[in-house]
Amino acid sequence: MTDQKDIDKAVEILQEGGLVAIPTETVYGLAADADNPEAVAKIYAAKKRPSTHPLIVHVANQEAINSWAVDIPEDAWKLTEAFWPGPLTLILKRSERAKDFITGGQNTVALRCPSHPLTRQVLQKFDEGVGNGVAAPSANPFGKISPTLAQHVRDDLGLVSDGGSVDFILDGGACDIGIESTILDLTDEEPRILREGAVTAAMIADRLNKPVLHGTITTSPRVPGTLKSHYAPDHPLILSSTEDLPGKAQFLARQFKTFGVIAPTAVATRFAPISEKSFGYSSTKDLTKHLYDWLHQLDKLKIDAILVVPPKEISEAAGVLDRLQRASAKRNL
Ligand code: TXA
Ligand code: MG
């Protein structure tokens, strides 16, 4: 069990410029002191991530925004009032404090206040009343699936004591939401979603009483999640409707190919006997929460493909549908 000693240890390591894997309600993050260039450099080395990709600064509270951003629009306060702590990242104009090694040289900064109770304690202690924050990308190697369990971090990045790159993993159990936060750009006239997540466009539009745009950053890879196949598992992922699933399964079986299945529970149960492994979900929330763990588990098996039946409804499923589409990019049967 994680206790106060672990919280203190995490804070100490961050203060000394080390790397701590922190649990959040979305996915595990790989955290370092956002004011310390050497510490932040370790994040890029551990993830093997291109150094021009900017990082989210995770803060303890709303007030910290004043320390990291300038020209803060009223919308930012409305949204943080409604959704912080929680899975919403805001892009704002950066202050002097947000240096190039955080923002990738851009004049904007990404800010988020996560809600996981352990990480909240770490951030509150680390803040020291002056808005100290931690830079924390998802704690996975660049291009791989994000971690939603401490074990995923142990497997994919490893502890320094085991020859890996993370000084300490704060184990906060399974992440509640399971996919990365919504990213909302507030630096233009109109708010623009850069990455779908649990806070939906409809929820934001409702709060702000104005329409929300959906951005596609086609000219720049600044949000790696927008690279086409960024969330790809090692095995090809094939999307299918429930109706087409038997045909796709037969097509694979005829070539002596093995596969895993992720589908609504009733469908997954039917395909259990002919697949290597099947996972059933009871709701969009359930799928969102477990998707990355199931993909991690399927990647460990010797199979040729993963067949996935996505949820039908659209609004609440926007985040998970987006991750599934990216994971299946160019690999549809
Ligand atoms: O849920 C999350 O957001 C998780 C947890 C750990 O908080 N973090 C996460 O970080 O997903 P990361 O680095 O894997 O994804 C954050 C994305 C990056 O793709 C980055 O390019 C984008 O946010 N980003 C950061 N600063 C930005 C900026 N100033 N403008 C546009 N995009 C930015
Ligand atoms: Mg990531």
Side-chain angles (χ1 to χ4, degrees):
M1 273 309 285
T2 304
D3 58 20
Q4 189 58 41
K5 267 204 211 105
D6 295 315
I7 309 271
D8 295 344
K9 184 172 173 186
V11 173
E12 233 166 75
I13 292 172
L14 290 169
Q15 287 167 339
E16 285 163 6
L19 292 186
V20 179
I22 52 168
T24 84
E25 70 281 21
T26 60
V27 300
Y28 275 76
L30 184 61
D33 179 356
D35 288 308
N36 180 336
E38 287 87 28
V40 172
K42 289 185 197 166
I43 293 180
Y44 285 98
K47 280 182 67 90
K48 303 195 170 60
R49 169 164 160 150
S51 62
T52 51
H53 287 192
L55 298 167
I56 299 174
V57 179
H58 294 64
V59 293
N61 50 45
Q62 267 180 302
E63 293 74 68
I65 296 177
N66 289 311
S67 170
W68 292 94
V70 293
D71 298 342
I72 302 152
E74 197 46 42
D75 285 353
W77 301 116
K78 283 188 195 158
L79 291 174
T80 52
E81 199 56 48
F83 300 114
W84 276 18
L88 176 68
T89 297
L90 296 181
I91 308 290
L92 298 168
K93 290 208 183 99
R94 71 167 167 181
S95 71
E96 288 274 304
R97 188 173 189 178
K99 298 283 191 297
D100 284 350
F101 63 84
I102 290 293
T103 70
Q106 301 184 77
N107 57 8
T108 58
V109 64
L111 297 173
R112 163 161 136 77
C113 176
S115 69
H116 191 291
L118 295 183
T119 289
R120 271 187 74 62
Q121 287 181 62
V122 170
L123 289 173
Q124 278 159 3
K125 194 151 184 217
F126 189 73
D127 176 274
E128 290 182 345
V130 289
N132 291 339
V134 301
S138 49
N140 53 293
F142 183 67
K144 295 284 179 183
I145 305 162
S146 295
T148 51
L149 292 172
Q151 190 60 44
H152 297 154
V153 184
R154 238 170 265 133
D155 289 347
D156 292 348
L157 293 176
L159 283 165
V160 169
S161 53
D162 299 330
S165 51
V166 187
D167 292 300
F168 183 56
I169 301 172
L170 188 62
D171 191 340
C175 300
D176 247 358
I177 291 171
I179 59 167
E180 302 82 350
S181 62
T182 304
I183 299 182
L184 185 73
D185 187 345
L186 286 180
T187 59
D188 268 339
E189 294 280 293
E190 318 258 322
R192 183 183 294 267
I193 289 189
L194 302 183
R195 182 175 71 184
E196 306 281 349
V199 176
T200 63
M203 288 158 76
I204 294 167
D206 189 52
R207 276 294 149 170
L208 299 182
N209 233 337
K210 60 167 89 159
V212 174
L213 307 178
H214 290 263
T216 36
I217 307 179
T218 45
T219 49
S220 129
R222 273 178 180 151
V223 183
T226 62
L227 294 177
K228 225 179 173 179
S229 67
H230 186 64
Y231 296 96
D234 292 337
H235 302 312
L237 188 149
I238 299 158
L239 294 179
S240 171
S241 63
T242 300
E243 297 71 38
D244 290 345
L245 197 58
K248 295 202 174 177
Q250 265 171 27
F251 179 87
L252 290 169
R254 253 185 268 126
Q255 301 170 68
F256 304 103
K257 294 206 162 138
T258 57
F259 55 90
V261 170
I262 298 175
T265 305
V267 181
T269 311
R270 269 199 284 134
F271 281 80
I274 58 162
S275 61
E276 290 299 301
K277 179 123 190 133
S278 66
F279 295 100
Y281 63 86
S282 58
S283 64
T284 297
K285 251 201 180 116
D286 188 40
L287 171 66
T288 309
K289 173 164 180 170
H290 295 107
L291 178 67
Y292 289 161
D293 180 43
W294 292 341
L295 293 178
H296 272 103
Q297 289 192 46
L298 288 166
D299 265 351
K300 284 196 181 140
L301 302 179
K302 283 211 172 79
I303 53 174
D304 299 296
I306 303 170
L307 294 173
V308 182
V309 178
K312 286 215 175 79
E313 33 103 17
I314 296 300
S315 68
E316 203 203 330
V320 77
L321 289 175
D322 166 77
R323 304 310 191 275
L324 283 171
Q325 259 137 26
R326 288 179 206 292
S328 71
K330 289 200 205 137
R331 292 161 157 191
N332 272 329
L333 275 187

